[in-house]
Amino acid sequence: MHSPTVAKMTNADSSARMLTSTVATLGCAFLVVVIAAIAAMLAITHDANQTENERQRDRLEAAIESQTRLRRLRMDSMSSSAELQNALATGGPTEALQSIFARLSYRFLTFEGVYLVTPSGRVLAGLEGGRPAGQASYDGLKHFSRSLPGPASLGDAGSAGTAPLDIQAEMIFDGQSTLALTITELRARPILDEQGQAPAAIVVGYNRITSTLLDDMARRYRIPGLQITGRKPVDPLLRRDIVSPDGTVSAWLTWTPSRPGNAIIEQFSWALIAVGIIFAAIFAYVIQRLRNAAKEIGLREHQIQRLAAHDELSLLPNRRTFDLRLDQELAQLSRNGNGLAVLLLDLDRFKAVNDTYGHTAGDELIRQVAERLSGMMRVGDTVARLGGDEFGIIQSNIHDASGCAALGERILEALTRPFSVMGIDTIIGCSIGIALAPQDGTDRETLLKLADTALYQSKNEGRNRYSFFEARMNRALQLKRMVEEDLRNAIAKDELMLHYQPQVSVDGNTIVGVEALVRWPHPVHGMVPPSEFISIAEERGLIVPLSEWVLRRACLEAKRWEGLRLAVNISPVQFRHKDFVGDVIRIVEETGFDPARLELELTEGVVVEDADAAENALMELRAHGIGLALDDFGIGYSSLIYLRRFAFDKIKIDRSFLEYMETTGESAILVHSVVHLGRALGLRVCAEGVETAEQHRFLQAIGCHELQGFLFSKGVPAEEIDRLLELDAPFADSLAA
């Protein structure tokens, strides 16, 4: 038989071995975490650097391609000159052609030197630094490239009988200087010479690539350290080949790589060291606490069991206990033949108290509400705090709804009396939703959902009232379920669609923009209007993915309407999302949409709720070139401070001002004042809800900039916008009616 001492030693040895094993396990885990963290940081740093290198390369290629397109457009503009075409066709004197060429020189001021030559290399006209230049100057360029027109390149340059040369641009390094050559053939040649053929002419332009030019490109396109070097960079993402006259590569265009990953590591290295020290300290602290953990577990288990059934703040039963008691009461319904009622309560204006006086005051208010509710309960009834400012009541052994109505009246009377919170009299109220069993349902989930539906009905009807669940509320309940379940699938499966309502110039002849409007063709309920699902999408947390879908699809579809502004409405919930600005910029970049054509429409309430955060977000959007419009102007705060502080580009007069407007009435005076206010502040003014020709003439007379409404068009599919843009006067019939 083992002695107590031996047993204690054995237990101590076992505890020691367990502690040793635990320490070893924790040590290995700590080492693995450190290695994984270092590997992750290195991988993130490498990926960030590589991504930035690719972006720099793409920006450089885009810059070069943009310059090439610009030169092609300028050449096309020069080609359209009838005077130059006539001179080429008639083969007039060189002096006359030189004179015409010099007069047209403003079309290609970006070139240091430019020549109009034949495919054989004969100079018809030329300019060097704005001064006339001839054959000798052109021949001095020919050692740079074999592509230049001349006797040696006749077989490659083409002639009048071959397909015209679009544009050829190249950078050439001859060992001393670098030239950017542009060679293109004049496209428009409607006049024929005496042999019945269009005379061929080729434009050759060049620029010397200097450090000043490279510095300007580096600053404009955010590519630091742009330079030409004769030493080949190792990284292919940091170089662009420059050929020599003989076709070999002897110079490279390179730039200084951005290393955002390294910068982050350098900036936060002290923080990483501090985190390592903290983790080491935590590790040591954990080891120290292991010895006392066993004793604390027993005490905590006892405390958890005591608190598991009750809310610690209000001392009322919690949601778990409420659910258990409701299940028990429902199980006894068939035995005693009586009914029961479930009441859900939400405190009105509780958030205002919490925000104004602090969480301590909010907690005290919850305790006082719990005391008043407990004092009104009969024996056998249950009141519980379900969370936040929401309470639940189970009223058992009822025979009809009159008892529930009486309890609801007592609760409203009790909770509308002033509460003394931190020495201040505070008045709140509550909204109550009631569901009955077995009339409305016999299971817990159903009753709670129906009571919740009735609760929202009370809130929608003005709060501080009670509502019984009624069959007519099923539509709202079904709609919420549909939005929460079906809308999520519709967004994921791309089953929504966009309509666009034109925004028209004040003369009614030109479409200057379109407003994107989401539509939901539901396979069962048909076309569901936004008024029925947008607010519920906000409530159920679906507005952010829905808004991102709308913005992305609108940007993709509106890319084909060059010159038109795209207006997209922004929900207040979407605007308050922490990643709102980043999401907008990311979508614009991913779709390739011109941010200068995008106009986000916000209501006044969005910017008023948190003016500082709104100002930061709007300034960041404007920094990326995105326009801002203040929607529904005139029905909210309409403060001049917000117009000036947030620097909107446009204000939209709410349609309610035009709905019953007479040209001499108060609404007309208000509209007239808003238009003049907008013009005085340098803002564009758009009037919504224009439906009659009289409204159009009035708005035109007072100087409104843009119009939108059914007089011109309702929201239509993108294909209808395509059709309207093809018409010279798309709304002439409507205006003449």
Side-chain angles (χ1 to χ4, degrees), residues 212-234:
T212 303
L213 179 62
L214 292 176
D215 291 342
D216 181 66
M217 288 184 61
R219 182 172 56 258
R220 183 178 302 175
Y221 297 101
R222 295 177 290 135
I223 307 175
L226 196 62
Q227 62 178 340
I228 295 176
T229 179
R231 186 174 181 180
K232 183 177 181 180
V234 178

Side-chain angles (χ1 to χ4, degrees), residues 452 456 480 483-484 488 535-542:
D452 187 63
Y456 277 98
K480 288 183 181 180
V483 170
E484 189 168 10
R488 192 185 308 275
S535 59
I536 303 178
E538 291 179 336
E539 175 189 324
R540 300 291 178 168
L542 293 175

Side-chain angles (χ1 to χ4, degrees), residues 30-229:
F30 179 74
L31 183 61
V32 170
V33 169
V34 171
I35 295 174
I38 294 174
M41 287 189 295
L42 293 177
I44 292 172
T45 300
H46 178 268
D47 290 345
N49 293 341
Q50 194 73 2
T51 300
E52 184 59 26
N53 290 343
E54 293 174 357
R55 289 178 178 172
Q56 286 183 313
R57 177 62 181 265
D58 292 342
R59 286 199 298 270
L60 179 62
E61 294 295 339
I64 295 174
E65 183 180 353
S66 175
Q67 293 295 325
T68 302
R69 288 199 305 268
L70 178 61
R71 290 169 181 167
R72 171 71 266 177
L73 291 174
R74 288 179 173 171
M75 295 306 175
D76 288 345
S77 176
M78 186 179 69
S79 301
S80 63
S81 172
E83 187 179 10
L84 179 61
Q85 295 295 333
N86 287 330
L88 288 174
T90 58
T94 305
E95 294 78 3
L97 190 58
Q98 175 69 41
S99 176
I100 295 171
F101 195 67
R103 285 201 301 275
L104 297 174
S105 63
Y106 70 91
R107 302 182 187 239
F108 38 82
L109 292 175
T110 55
F111 291 114
E112 293 182 25
V114 61
Y115 296 89
L116 183 66
V117 301
T118 65
S120 63
R122 181 169 65 88
V123 176
L124 301 176
L127 291 171
E128 284 282 350
R131 298 176 180 273
Q135 189 70 45
S137 299
Y138 174 73
D139 292 340
L141 289 175
K142 295 181 63 176
H143 80 279
F144 276 93
S145 175
R146 300 176 182 177
S147 301
L148 289 174
S153 60
L154 281 175
D156 300 325
S159 63
T162 61
L165 175 66
D166 180 25
I167 188 167
Q168 177 179 341
E170 57 184 344
M171 298 172 62
I172 301 175
F173 177 72
D174 68 346
Q176 296 181 348
S177 59
T178 304
L179 261 64
L181 285 174
T182 302
I183 307 170
T184 183
E185 186 174 346
L186 294 183
R187 286 180 170 174
R189 299 196 296 273
I191 301 175
L192 304 180
D193 58 16
E194 297 176 355
Q195 288 75 29
Q197 296 183 347
I202 299 174
V203 179
V204 177
Y206 76 89
N207 286 94
R208 297 185 184 277
I209 300 179
T210 63
S211 59
T212 303
L213 179 62
L214 292 176
D215 291 342
D216 181 66
M217 288 184 61
R219 182 172 56 258
R220 183 178 302 175
Y221 297 101
R222 295 177 290 135
I223 307 175
L226 196 62
Q227 62 178 340
I228 295 176
T229 179

Side-chain angles (χ1 to χ4, degrees), residues 439-470:
Q439 295 95 314
D440 298 328
T442 57
D443 63 276
R444 171 165 51 89
E445 290 78 8
T446 300
L447 286 174
L448 290 177
K449 288 181 180 179
L450 300 184
D452 187 63
T453 301
L455 172 62
Y456 277 98
Q457 182 69 18
S458 296
K459 291 182 177 180
N460 293 334
E461 291 180 351
R463 300 177 180 269
N464 200 34
R465 65 186 64 234
Y466 64 86
S467 298
F468 286 90
F469 176 79
E470 299 176 7

